[in-house]
Amino acid sequence: MTGRRTVVLQVLSCVLFLIPITSLAGGATSAAGVTIRADLTHVDSGRGFTGSELLNRMVSRSRARAARLYGRHSHPYGHPATAPAAPGTVGEPSTEYLIHLAIGTPRPQHVALTLDTGSDLVWTQCASCAVCFDQPSQNFDPSASKTIRYVPCSDPICANSTDSLCTITDHSCFYLDSYGDGSITAGRVLRDTFTFKGSVVPEISFGCGLFNKGIFDTNESGIAGFGRGPQSLPSQLKVGRFSHCFTPMLVDKPKNSPVFLGTPDDLTAHATGPVQSTPLKRNPVIPSINYYYLSLEGITVGSTRLPVSASAFAINEEDGSGGTIIDSGTGVTYFPQAVYEQLRKAFVAQVPLPVDAKASETRGFLCFSAADAEKVAVPKLVFHLEGADMDLPRENYMPVLDGKQLMCLIISGTEGNQTIIGNFQQQNMHIVYDVENSKLLFAPAQCDKL
């Protein structure tokens, strides 16, 4: 990383002067008490893929995402390994949902940023980038905004971040962030007005990407960190909680999903079941990891609770590896391999259909063949969390595919001890991150009605 860091710093020293900036403005304005809404689109929405193609692409992205999560802090978190690498897995972007907003004044410039609950930094490509990836819209142009400001080294948003560095010439802040898959983004830290759907918020800090090299989707222009660190969007907006509700992706005309910063108090709106809560945990061994950990205590398939100890889902108290996180950027739910084998065994025993060995090998999931899979009853699947039960609807774990001739369990295993609850299992569920009170609330809901 040292050599790569040196190269990036050399590039930045040459290109930073390309960004015209004005004098520093005051600190970020609080948005406390205000609920901000934005639209999310699935990265493959409107691209014309079949249900099977959507799942195949999601699997590839999930493997890439897991590599980022496992490798980001250089700890032994394991790697997805139940299925052979699918075509396109290597070099696959891990983008899942894009949040749409705009930056700058008087003409706000649209950006589409990956919603990422596994990181903190908010950044987008800038027009003067020396190394860039392709994106459909124009890169953000700082010179076109009258409210753009630089961030000095003394600013808390810079001083308290491990990703931030300082220039020797003008003592302004810039950043260098790398991901587990080898992707890098670096540039100047700026501050400007953000425009959401019906809400305008001044003085939000973000990275203006000048050196962006690696694996990114052509639909994204950067990343919006929703983690627990001071640089994340929820932290800067000073909202105690945020939420999202993912609409189903395996439909003919997928709809936008809502994300709320400062979630409305009435969580029962359009809910189709009870609101439950479970504690949000931190990694006691590696406190710098800002993932959203949960206490998963067990799994039930049908009427059978799997013979798995809660310790299989817990953080290793010696090295900080393992644990259970809920993540917006991973499509597939992953369990440690031993847990997954128990899960697989239970479904094989309880589903009254033959296993389709060829489809299972090709897709990397447990698949069953049937004349009309939609009419076949499947065992329920429940994740037992501390103080709550996440009872998943069938379409969130056993969708029907290939003209109703096939159904597959969209869950996989890893070689290590990490558990990730992916976004496919979170569809049509209002997920609330109550960071202020360290708890996660959730309720089944009609997400397209919110």
Side-chain angles (χ1 to χ4, degrees):
M1 179 63 188
T2 302
R4 182 183 296 163
R5 186 185 184 95
T6 301
V7 171
V8 175
L9 293 181
Q10 290 174 346
V11 173
L12 285 174
S13 66
C14 296
V15 301
L16 281 177
F17 73 93
L18 296 175
I19 303 179
I21 52 179
T22 58
S23 61
L24 178 69
T29 301
S30 172
V34 177
T35 297
I36 295 171
R37 176 181 176 137
D39 285 332
L40 300 175
T41 58
H42 189 270
V43 68
D44 282 336
S45 180
R47 288 183 168 183
F49 296 113
T50 65
S52 292
E53 289 171 336
L54 287 170
L55 285 177
N56 289 341
R57 290 172 61 81
M58 184 180 69
V59 170
S60 295
R61 289 194 303 268
S62 293
R63 289 184 175 129
R65 171 66 173 183
R68 283 192 176 190
L69 294 179
Y70 298 152
R72 187 172 176 80
H73 297 275
S74 300
H75 284 278
Y77 283 13
H79 301 277
T82 52
T89 298
V90 178
E92 187 77 24
S94 60
T95 307
E96 282 289 311
Y97 286 90
L98 300 171
I99 179 172
H100 296 268
L101 53 97
I103 304 175
T105 62
R107 296 183 178 179
Q109 301 173 54
H110 173 261
V111 296
L113 309 179
T114 296
L115 173 67
D116 187 4
T117 55
S119 68
D120 299 327
L121 183 67
V122 180
W123 67 272
T124 189
Q125 287 200 122
C126 275
S128 53
C129 54
V131 178
C132 322
F133 58 87
D134 292 334
Q135 66 177 64
S137 58
Q138 292 185 342
N139 292 350
F140 174 73
D141 183 3
S143 67
S145 176
K146 292 185 177 181
T147 47
I148 199 81
R149 300 287 186 270
Y150 72 85
V151 173
C153 295
S154 58
D155 192 285
I157 205 75
C158 182
N160 297 335
S161 172
T162 58
D163 297 324
S164 298
L165 302 165
C166 289
T167 57
I168 299 176
T169 54
D170 62 1
H171 301 287
S172 63
C173 184
F174 64 97
Y175 74 94
L176 171 60
D177 202 5
S178 62
Y179 300 90
D181 60 5
S183 298
I184 291 177
T185 178
R188 188 185 286 276
V189 180
L190 301 178
R191 184 168 283 150
D192 206 343
T193 296
F194 275 37
T195 300
F196 300 89
K197 192 173 183 178
S199 301
V200 178
V201 185
E203 304 295 332
I204 298 297
S205 299
F206 66 101
C208 183
L210 303 174
F211 186 99
N212 313 303
K213 184 177 179 62
I215 306 166
F216 301 101
D217 191 90
T218 55
N219 272 358
E220 70 180 313
S221 57
I223 295 176
F226 271 63
R228 286 173 149 179
Q231 291 180 316
S232 76
L233 195 54
S235 294
Q236 290 198 61
L237 291 172
K238 295 181 173 61
V239 293
R241 56 184 181 174
F242 67 90
S243 68
H244 54 64
C245 201
F246 298 139
T247 57
M249 59 175 284
L250 298 182
V251 294
D252 292 335
K253 296 181 179 180
K255 297 182 179 180
N256 289 350
S257 301
V259 58
F260 302 96
L261 290 139
T263 310
D265 291 331
D266 185 12
L267 299 181
T268 62
H270 301 291
T272 58
V275 177
Q276 300 184 70
S277 68
T278 187
L280 285 172
K281 305 290 186 177
R282 283 191 175 275
N283 192 313
V285 183
I286 319 172
S288 61
I289 296 181
N290 288 320
Y291 300 155
Y292 293 100
Y293 287 93
L294 304 177
S295 291
L296 180 60
E297 299 177 340
I299 304 171
T300 289
V301 177
S303 59
T304 303
R305 182 144 177 168
L306 301 185
V308 177
S309 169
S311 62
F313 311 109
I315 298 171
N316 187 305
E317 295 182 357
E318 295 183 359
D319 61 13
S321 65
T324 299
I325 64 172
I326 183 167
D327 184 45
S328 66
T330 306
V332 178
T333 288
Y334 287 109
F335 290 115
Q337 188 63 31
V339 176
Y340 173 73
E341 291 301 330
Q342 291 289 340
L343 183 76
R344 187 183 191 281
K345 181 179 178 181
F347 272 96
V348 170
Q350 296 183 46
V351 174
L353 293 173
V355 174
D356 190 319
K358 183 178 180 179
S360 297
E361 181 179 359
T362 301
R363 298 172 184 273
F365 296 120
L366 172 63
C367 296
F368 301 89
S369 57
D372 192 349
E374 199 171 48
K375 295 181 179 180
V376 177
V378 300
K380 69 177 181 178
L381 177 60
V382 182
F383 297 161
H384 300 290
L385 303 166
E386 181 181 341
D389 289 333
M390 186 175 285
D391 191 343
L392 301 178
R394 170 181 175 156
E395 57 269 21
N396 283 19
Y397 64 94
M398 188 76 81
V400 174
L401 305 167
D402 295 356
K404 303 180 182 180
Q405 303 300 303
L406 190 73
M407 60 186 192
C408 298
L409 178 64
I410 311 301
I411 292 176
S412 194
T414 75
E415 291 178 345
N417 57 349
Q418 180 83 66
T419 294
I420 304 174
I421 299 178
N423 62 55
F424 191 82
Q425 278 65 47
Q426 300 173 47
Q427 294 177 106
N428 267 341
M429 193 173 295
H430 197 173
I431 307 288
V432 182
Y433 295 78
D434 188 347
V435 182
E436 187 174 34
N437 296 302
S438 295
K439 61 183 179 180
L440 184 90
L441 298 91
F442 61 91
Q446 295 175 286
C447 292
D448 60 344
K449 302 294 184 182
L450 290 175

